[in-house]
Amino acid sequence: MGNLFGKKSSTKQQPSRVTEADKAVLQLKQQRDKLKQYQKKIQSSLERERQFAKKLLSEGNRDKAKLLLRKKKFQEGLIDKTESQLETIEQLVHDLEFAQIESQVLEGLKKGNESLKKMQQLVSLDEVEKIMDETADAVEYQRQISDLLSGGLTDDDEADVLDELSELLAAESEEQEVTLPEVPTEELPSGEPVQETQGKSREKPAREAMLAS
């Protein structure tokens, strides 16, 4: 039982996020609200005293009415002073809140610069230039492929095509100028071997020569 009530909590308390500037702004706003409440109180009192002074005058009590009007005038001066104090407080609140925003912005810039420096250490300038060059080459290569696939050729490409076409035409003309052997038009005897026919054709001129002699 003693350990149950005497044991300290092991949970760590989270650090407070309220800064001194937050506390100062809160105090100024509280003072501002009090001054506004004081103004409302005086203003309601002024209207009552004015009506009471009017009643005193109607009753012929001029001295009391005058004294009451003096008190009313003094309170009006207090309202003017509180109004000036309110303006000062509002300006201080504005300056403090804006300073907090500036501090947050500067802290963000500081962290951003630190992160940027770490990233710059990971990638050197030479490596970036190399990557950019490789990227440019890849983009140019892809553009050339796209142009070819889409049928778009440059003037140099068209000139190369015409030159290659001229070379093909010239080669074809040279092949057509070569003389080919004539193909015999006589029909061979049916059923007679080709070799025997050729042998008879060779013997015939020999017989004709012998008869002639």
Side-chain angles (χ1 to χ4, degrees):
M1 294 292 291
N3 292 334
L4 180 61
F5 293 99
K7 187 177 180 180
K8 295 183 180 180
S9 176
S10 60
T11 305
K12 295 182 180 180
Q13 295 182 353
Q14 296 293 334
S16 177
R17 295 183 179 180
V18 179
T19 63
E20 294 297 327
D22 294 331
K23 294 178 181 179
V25 171
L26 180 61
Q27 291 177 356
L28 287 172
K29 288 183 177 180
Q30 290 175 346
Q31 293 176 2
R32 177 197 62 190
D33 295 339
K34 289 180 180 180
L35 283 174
K36 288 183 177 180
Q37 291 176 358
Y38 181 69
Q39 278 186 336
K40 290 181 180 180
K41 182 180 178 180
I42 292 178
Q43 287 174 351
S44 60
S45 176
L46 289 177
E47 184 61 26
R48 288 196 305 269
E49 289 176 355
R50 184 175 181 276
Q51 294 296 330
F52 188 55
K54 185 177 181 181
K55 181 181 179 182
L56 291 175
L57 286 175
S58 64
E59 294 174 354
N61 196 344
R62 183 174 179 181
D63 292 336
K64 287 186 177 181
K66 186 177 180 180
L67 181 63
L68 194 60
L69 290 176
R70 285 178 178 175
K71 181 181 176 182
K72 175 178 175 294
K73 188 66 176 177
F74 175 76
Q75 289 178 335
E76 289 176 350
L78 290 178
I79 291 179
D80 293 337
K81 290 181 180 179
T82 55
E83 189 66 30
S84 176
Q85 291 175 352
L86 281 174
E87 291 180 359
T88 302
I89 290 175
E90 290 289 353
Q91 185 63 40
L92 285 174
V93 170
H94 177 270
D95 293 342
L96 282 172
E97 290 178 341
F98 187 73
Q100 284 181 301
I101 295 175
E102 284 184 331
S103 177
Q104 294 173 359
V105 171
L106 290 175
E107 185 65 22
L109 290 174
K110 180 181 177 181
K111 292 181 179 179
N113 288 332
E114 292 176 354
S115 300
L116 184 60
K117 289 180 180 179
K118 291 179 180 179
M119 293 181 66
Q120 289 174 347
Q121 291 174 357
L122 295 176
V123 181
S124 63
L125 183 60
D126 294 337
E127 187 174 356
V128 172
E129 292 178 351
K130 179 180 178 182
I131 293 174
M132 294 300 295
D133 292 339
E134 292 177 352
T135 302
D137 293 339
V139 170
E140 178 63 21
Y141 181 72
Q142 184 61 37
R143 186 190 65 79
Q144 293 177 2
I145 292 177
S146 300
D147 290 342
L148 291 174
L149 293 177
S150 61
L153 297 177
T154 62
D155 294 339
D156 293 337
D157 294 335
E158 291 291 346
D160 293 339
V161 170
L162 294 176
D163 292 340
E164 187 173 0
L165 180 61
S166 299
E167 292 177 0
L168 292 176
L169 292 174
E172 185 178 359
S173 298
E174 292 178 357
E175 291 178 358
Q176 290 179 354
E177 290 177 358
V178 176
T179 304
L180 298 177
E182 296 182 358
V183 179
T185 58
E186 297 180 355
E187 295 182 0
L188 296 176
S190 60
E192 189 175 6
V194 176
Q195 292 180 354
E196 295 180 358
T197 305
Q198 292 178 349
K200 292 180 179 179
S201 61
R202 294 175 180 175
E203 293 176 355
K204 186 177 181 181
R207 291 177 180 178
E208 292 179 352
M210 291 176 64
L211 294 174
S213 62

